[in-house]
Amino acid sequence: MTVGLAVRTHAASRPSNTRPSRGRSVVARLGVLGWTLAGLGITAALWSVIVATGRFPRQLFPSVPEILAAGQTLWTEGLLAADVSASLSRAAVGFAIGAVAGIAVAVLTATTRAGRSLLQPVLRVFSPIPTIGLVPLAILWFGLGENSKILVIALGVFVPVWINSHSGLASTPVDYLKAARCLGAGRWQTLSRVVLPEAAPDIASGLRVGAAMAFVLIVVAEMTGTTMGIGYRISQAQLFSQADRLIFCLIVLGIIGALCDQLVASVTSPFTRWAHEER
């Protein structure tokens, strides 16, 4: 005890250089948004240089002003807001269904004997199947309406959420479980107060991957049987060789996906703060 106190006192008495270096101060001043904008600016500059070389057809490789003009046209025509709203609603419903189902099934496969013996082997067989390959089956079952699109997104979200959640739930340290039993915790208390909090970082990672997957699949899901959505607009731009509109829609999709990823990270942050504090 005395030795520990002496060590801490000695460490506290030493002068510490608390002045941040110039590089760190620049990073802190710019922040995530600043660096993102800087990266986008560099990308736009490189794109403009490639366009200026004239090595590619202008119709297939439009300049930055032409891409922005195409986006402005979509906005003034009232198409952009309607497309974003339609895609967001489909992605949100599909994500919610897939995420809830993925976490619930992960609890069964990781904490129950029946889930491990019966359900997990079946999911291991079907999880490697590309979700895009299920689009024809979804259309065959549910037609070209909204249900088939939401089903495709939900299945695509379910797989990464289940895999990550199962991994986190199944890897709870045995000592934690023994300590919970010794303290008289029942099955539900052990699950809610020990297993789920311990697996929270893995569940949060699965949700972020699932959110990204939702926006990957929304493009595929909206290419058939709809007249509204970012995926539909991309398909139409490709059909009529409108590269400027196509690229602008891809940029919009990327921005929305990045914002949704940050939203999921912010929502799950209170449940995973302990993991960051241990680093």
Side-chain angles (χ1 to χ4, degrees):
M1 182 76 171
T2 309
V3 174
L5 252 157
V7 171
R8 286 196 294 271
T9 306
H10 178 67
S13 63
R14 286 183 299 180
S16 60
N17 185 15
T18 59
R19 182 180 300 174
S21 64
R22 181 175 298 179
R24 290 182 179 178
S25 64
V26 171
V27 172
R29 203 176 297 125
L30 281 176
V32 177
L33 179 60
W35 282 110
T36 302
L37 293 176
L40 291 175
I42 294 172
T43 303
L46 291 175
W47 184 279
S48 300
V49 170
I50 295 173
V51 171
T53 60
R55 294 179 61 87
F56 302 96
R58 196 62 172 266
Q59 185 181 3
L60 303 179
F61 213 92
S63 64
V64 173
E66 290 171 341
I67 295 172
L68 296 177
Q72 185 177 3
T73 301
L74 289 173
W75 176 261
T76 54
E77 291 177 354
L79 299 175
L80 183 60
D83 288 338
V84 170
S85 176
S87 295
L88 274 177
S89 62
R90 291 170 183 140
V93 174
F95 173 78
I97 295 173
V100 171
I103 295 173
V105 173
V107 171
L108 293 177
T109 56
T111 63
T112 65
R113 182 173 299 176
R116 285 192 299 269
S117 303
L118 300 176
L119 191 55
Q120 184 178 349
V122 176
L123 293 174
R124 291 291 184 192
V125 171
F126 285 100
S127 59
I129 298 176
T131 310
I132 295 175
L134 299 177
V135 173
L137 183 62
I139 294 174
L140 186 64
W141 282 352
F142 297 99
L144 294 172
E146 294 296 312
N147 291 336
S148 62
K149 297 171 180 54
I150 291 173
L151 175 64
V152 169
I153 297 170
L155 289 174
V157 172
F158 170 83
V159 173
V161 172
W162 170 70
I163 290 175
N164 283 270
S165 300
H166 174 85
S167 176
L169 292 166
S171 60
T172 304
V174 179
D175 293 341
Y176 292 3
L177 301 177
K178 290 181 179 178
R181 292 195 197 99
C182 291
L183 293 173
R187 190 179 185 88
W188 170 250
Q189 287 180 316
T190 303
L191 176 64
S192 60
R193 298 190 180 185
V194 178
V195 179
L196 283 173
E198 172 66 21
D202 296 283
I203 295 174
S205 299
L207 291 174
R208 294 183 69 174
V209 176
M213 186 60 66
F215 286 97
V216 171
L217 293 172
I218 194 65
V219 177
V220 180
E222 290 180 341
M223 283 185 175
T224 54
T226 185
T227 57
M228 194 177 297
I230 296 295
Y232 168 77
R233 202 61 56 193
I234 290 173
S235 176
Q236 290 296 299
Q238 182 269 332
L239 184 64
F240 294 103
S241 299
Q242 297 171 322
D244 49 359
R245 287 195 174 196
L246 195 154
I247 294 170
F248 182 82
C249 289
L250 290 176
I251 294 172
V252 170
L253 194 65
I255 292 173
I256 295 173
L259 292 176
C260 289
D261 175 74
Q262 290 301 311
L263 177 62
V264 174
S266 300
V267 171
T268 57
S269 178
F271 303 99
T272 60
R273 187 177 295 116
W274 63 268
H276 300 291
E277 291 174 353
E278 285 186 351
R279 293 179 181 176

